[in-house]
Amino acid sequence: MTQSRAVAAQDGDGLAVGELIGLNPEIARSAIGALDSGRTDEAAELIAALHYAEVADLLEQLNPDHRAAAVDILAPAFPPEILPELDEAVLEDVAERLGDRRLAGAIAGLESDDALLLIAALDETQQRQVMQAIPAALRAALEQGLAYPEDSAGRLMQRDLVAVPTFWTVGETIDYLREADDLPNDFYDIFVVDPGHRPVGTVALSHVLRTRRPVPMRDLSRREVATVPVGMDQEEVAYAFAQKNLVSAPVVDDGGRLIGVITVDDVVDVIHEEAEEDLMRLGGVTGTDIYEAAIDTGKARFSWLFVNLLTAILASIVIGFFEATIERIVILAVLMPIAASMGGNAGTQSLTVAVRAIAMRDLTSANAWRVLSKEGLVGLLNGVLFALIVGLVAWVWSGEVSIGLVMAAAMAVTMAIAGIAGTAIPFCLSRTAIDPAVASGVLLTTITDAIAFLAFLGLAAWWLL
Amino acid sequence: MTQSRAVAAQDGDGLAVGELIGLNPEIARSAIGALDSGRTDEAAELIAALHYAEVADLLEQLNPDHRAAAVDILAPAFPPEILPELDEAVLEDVAERLGDRRLAGAIAGLESDDALLLIAALDETQQRQVMQAIPAALRAALEQGLAYPEDSAGRLMQRDLVAVPTFWTVGETIDYLREADDLPNDFYDIFVVDPGHRPVGTVALSHVLRTRRPVPMRDLSRREVATVPVGMDQEEVAYAFAQKNLVSAPVVDDGGRLIGVITVDDVVDVIHEEAEEDLMRLGGVTGTDIYEAAIDTGKARFSWLFVNLLTAILASIVIGFFEATIERIVILAVLMPIAASMGGNAGTQSLTVAVRAIAMRDLTSANAWRVLSKEGLVGLLNGVLFALIVGLVAWVWSGEVSIGLVMAAAMAVTMAIAGIAGTAIPFCLSRTAIDPAVASGVLLTTITDAIAFLAFLGLAAWWLL
């Protein structure tokens, strides 16, 4: 956990009261201007007045040259709290510019969970070199942390925590807290542990403060201790925190022994990450790549576009079956994209709701049939409405009532199937190892396009020729 | 803030240690089975063993009849913590079944911020009736809370907090905490206030506990107090918490006086909500509507589909200009959806990144040009690659090299424009009052479809006829 502290406040001696705001674009522009024209002192002054999170935002917005200059300004006393706030691509850039020695120093200045995240984000070569420059005790702890799987509770947890035996009183606990010098900077709960160091209760600090000295800690313990196994996926951890309104939770090893603590502010970052992941995957991208070079971004997006090309070709093959029909009734070619577009969008609506509901555990095997039949019904309801509207449009446009009827029928069929497919596809994928957010969209549009063209052109060929 | 507490643990007297898990689908199915066959005692037993958040999940997954039966089982001692966890549509249902008196009792049992959220979620008639049944003091506080704008810090904040004068020592503070009986259940920070009740510092509880009694609270204060104006939008609040790793922040009125506190666990819910909002809006839906009746969901989605229909018709009008061309070269109708599909998907990739970057304050006026030119370049890079691939496909398929060349040119143009439009549209919308997540997708596909059909069919008409 990183303590909230301003870079600027380090030198001050009064209490600064300020409103919560992000990086001011005006200040960003001034800083960029100063860096651009080499006015280093002015840039240094502007940067020194910023909160560390704002410095991180600024570093992200700078181009590589300006960023290097800004890092050089900060380097003599680089505030380590900046590093965990940086996007991965920018972090690599800053880390390289800082150099291994300074980077190792910054990492040593962070809390153990932030230090671990940072080391894990470095590329292998730099990771090895920086590790060499880190004091042996911290290095050993970091190596132990790196042994836990990526995105697991073990990576997220803070190893420093406060644990007391069951028989201690409030007074003994307070005396211990006042004297011990290896405690974390900030903590919210004290864990009560049995002789095997297994957690048997948690006590909120506010309860300790409000209770007289002779009361045993055990009496203050919350009845339920929700423990996190060290290998639990961070997404599960975030879900549990949000669902149960937790502020911190003890992490236990396979033997049930207390080895760390996860606090809610670490989970906030995970929630941001996970929500972003779903959003990005649905949009066919792999991450917020605005800081990456164009060539890397292009490469990352190519594969998804290639899969999309294959599905587009499939749709064209379906159209190809009806070349003769289109040749005789060319208005079909003009109208057919409407059916495909409406089917695709109706399906995407169902899909978006389903992907989010699966992530939030709102769509499970217990209610899948009910949701599926509802989505089919919604698709059919709107399908019938749009069949009337689009049928009318097609009739007026083509001047032929029969083309209007074909369009209406195709629209109703496509939209009902789109509603069902939009729910069924992500749900079935969620039962497999495939992420529904990644693959659902491509599968869905393949199906809706094929159905739309097949229904519209097929009915036309059968009825009109 | 809701305290983490198990419904089941209320009767127990030992320390229950359990792992963090969501509602078990097996248990959900058993409960549904018991409710379905009227085995009320068995259902009651299953429900009594659940955490309140799991009961909320179960209520959400039940159909209306089963839900009514479950509410009846819980009603005699309805655990109030269940209510804030419910989806809005389910909450209305449960609130109605509980009745005004019981609902008022439950609301009185919640912390002030949860009580306010709940009252605000009721429809007007029920809100008025429930308010009548609430004790006068709480009613006045709730009415004051309702006066703050929806989604503002005033709605989110907890009114109970701990504030001490600047001249108090740690010892005086601890004595006060032990004796006062109107303190919140859980709190993480103590605010230091001046005689005008303006916050001048915050002290983490862990620091109070670790410090000897004679030390003045002022000396323990964090240097920077990030205050939240009571009218600040909850999205801004969530952003500031995530950015600055805050655990709690004081809320101040227009005169700068301390009137409440927002804690990070309330913000977790907001982050969930806001991330969901962007995801849903990009997908053309208004919320997680899986608990709403089919007819309501259908209505909510209709308007977006209708807007989509208008853009689809626009694309068809573009195709309509080239009816004569398609009549003579019918393979164009077969191939044209490929250009439109690739343009739409490339644009959506840029769009998704831009919408998220705007929400995260990563895309601002300071770096807009740089991001825009990068996205254009990415579009052009992939456009050239896919021009080669798709041009080849079109050539082989049609047997005509000229059609391959037309397709290649159309693809490169469409994808480059898609990349620029995918970034420019949400950025320009973000400067207006329109939510980029809602309107960008429709505008984008209108543009990419029109460009794709115009480039492909236009080039074909000009060159091949």
Side-chain angles (χ1 to χ4, degrees), chain A residues 15-16 29 57 85 178 188 200 211 223 243 247 284 289 292 297 301 308 316 334 345 349 374-375, chain B residues 15-16 57 178 188 200 211 223 243 245 247 284 289 292 297 301 308 316 334 345 349 365 374-375:
Chain A
L15 296 169
R29 260 194 299 270
D57 282 350
E85 307 296 321
R178 287 197 181 138
Y188 309 99
V200 292
T211 309
R223 290 282 165 74
Q243 204 209 22
V247 175
D289 48 15
E292 275 176 23
T297 302
R301 295 190 193 167
N308 180 255
S316 288
V334 176
N345 277 291
Q349 290 182 328
K374 183 198 139 176
E375 288 292 333
Chain B
L15 296 169
D57 282 350
R178 286 198 180 137
Y188 310 100
V200 291
T211 308
R223 290 281 165 77
Q243 206 211 21
N245 297 303
V247 175
D289 48 12
E292 276 176 22
T297 302
R301 294 189 194 168
N308 181 255
S316 287
V334 176
N345 277 293
Q349 290 182 329
S365 54
K374 182 196 143 179
E375 287 293 333

Side-chain angles (χ1 to χ4, degrees), chain A residues 327, chain B residues 323-330 464-465:
Chain A
E327 199 156 11
Chain B
E323 266 194 69
T325 314
I326 295 174
E327 200 157 10
R328 289 172 56 184
I329 317 169
V330 76
L464 303 181
L465 291 188

Side-chain angles (χ1 to χ4, degrees), chain B residues 336-394:
Chain B
M336 67 184 186
I338 297 179
S341 166
M342 293 300 285
N345 277 293
T348 302
Q349 290 182 329
S350 301
L351 180 79
T352 307
V353 170
V355 165
R356 186 66 182 168
I358 290 168
M360 294 288 97
R361 318 287 204 279
D362 286 337
L363 174 56
T364 67
S365 54
N367 65 347
W369 277 112
R370 219 156 55 79
V371 174
L372 200 65
S373 49
K374 182 196 143 179
E375 287 293 333
L377 188 60
V378 171
L380 194 65
L381 278 174
N382 276 332
V384 169
L385 280 175
F386 281 104
L388 293 174
I389 301 170
V390 180
L392 202 68
V393 169

Side-chain angles (χ1 to χ4, degrees), chain B residues 56-75:
Chain B
D57 282 350
L58 179 64
L59 288 174
E60 286 178 343
Q61 288 182 15
L62 296 175
N63 73 26
D65 291 343
H66 294 163
R67 192 182 296 148
V71 171
D72 291 346
I73 289 173
L74 290 162

Side-chain angles (χ1 to χ4, degrees), chain B residues 20-105:
Chain B
L20 288 165
I21 40 160
L23 175 61
N24 183 330
E26 284 302 317
I27 295 177
R29 260 194 298 270
S30 307
I32 292 170
L35 289 167
D36 200 52
S37 52
R39 283 172 278 131
T40 314
D41 288 350
E42 189 186 327
E45 208 168 298
L46 283 164
I47 291 172
L50 297 176
H51 184 275
Y52 69 81
E54 291 166 355
V55 178
D57 282 350
L58 179 64
L59 288 174
E60 286 178 343
Q61 288 182 15
L62 296 175
N63 73 26
D65 291 343
H66 294 163
R67 192 182 296 148
V71 171
D72 291 346
I73 289 173
L74 290 162
F78 195 88
E81 299 88 348
I82 292 173
L83 296 172
E85 307 296 322
L86 294 172
D87 181 271
E88 196 146 330
V90 178
L91 175 62
E92 275 174 30
D93 208 23
V94 170
E96 200 172 310
R97 185 77 187 180
L98 264 183
D100 298 338
R101 287 276 306 275
R102 283 212 161 105
L103 189 56

